Amino acid sequence: NIPCLKKFLTEVKNGVTPTTFWQYDEVSHTDKAKKDLTKLMDNTIVFDYPKPIELVKKCLQIATNEESIVLDFFGGSSTTAHSVLQYNANENSKRKFIIVQLPENCAEKSEAFKAGYKNICEIGKERIRRAGKLIKEENPLTTNELDIGFRVLKCDTTNMEDVYYTPDRIDTNDLFKNNIKSDRTGEDLLFQTMLDLGIMLSSKIETKKINSKEVFCVEGNYLMACFDGSVDEKTITEIAREKPYYFVMR
């Protein structure tokens, strides 16, 4: 065997220091993790080496508090998100997660691809949906207040067209041209506005109709935004009565 130092209890002054935090019976292993994920995904093997939920929960226990934001920059099958939801349910806490993953394509011969998952991100999103639903179903009496919602955002180019004019070519009419890309929605413009104003992307967002226009309300009336093509004075007056901290329109 590997040579090691043996100490008797009589020689230790302040108890025994564990050789590792990661006891096998506490943090599980990838084989069980794969079986658990396969079962959750309708007995389809969607990911080969997922992390064990018990392992990530141990990390949460050691390194976080109930208000922490947990970041996983190599999201994979979203074990971290699943673990945070499970830990919140067990501890009645409000930890949040941010999962980052490149949309790496699934091999065409893989079971995941055959099941309709074109890339790893699709696997992760579906897992979070199913995990949240399962946790609620298994613990109906204690998870009424458990937040299992999440938003999916992806990096993209600016919403604005690439428009470059030298000073001698600027026409006053250019100020009123629509330079927003044609494939962008009001929601796209809203999230860019939130980033520009430093508003958390996890903020509560509601929509309402004011004078037949769609208006986004972020964190109550902290930010109100209307990106419809034409907003008349009547609409602006109605929005002003709501006294938003910020108001943004197209």
Side-chain angles (χ1 to χ4, degrees), residues 24-80:
Y24 180 79
D25 58 342
E26 290 184 350
V27 300
S28 190
H29 46 82
T30 54
D31 183 56
K32 181 179 183 300
K34 183 176 180 179
K35 290 177 180 177
D36 290 343
L37 178 57
T38 298
K39 181 179 179 181
L40 180 66
M41 307 297 277
D42 294 332
N43 294 316
T44 301
I45 301 175
V46 295
F47 206 82
D48 288 330
Y49 301 105
K51 295 182 291 290
I53 292 175
E54 291 80 2
L55 173 63
V56 180
K57 285 168 63 177
K58 187 70 173 178
C59 295
L60 299 177
Q61 180 187 13
I62 293 171
T64 69
N65 60 51
E66 64 177 25
E67 299 291 339
S68 290
I69 299 175
V70 182
L71 170 65
D72 187 343
F73 232 112
F74 298 88
S77 65
S78 292
T79 300
T80 297

Side-chain angles (χ1 to χ4, degrees), residues 114-125:
K114 294 174 183 176
Y117 303 107
K118 305 302 181 185
N119 59 58
I120 294 178
C121 296
E122 297 298 324
I123 296 172
K125 288 187 289 184

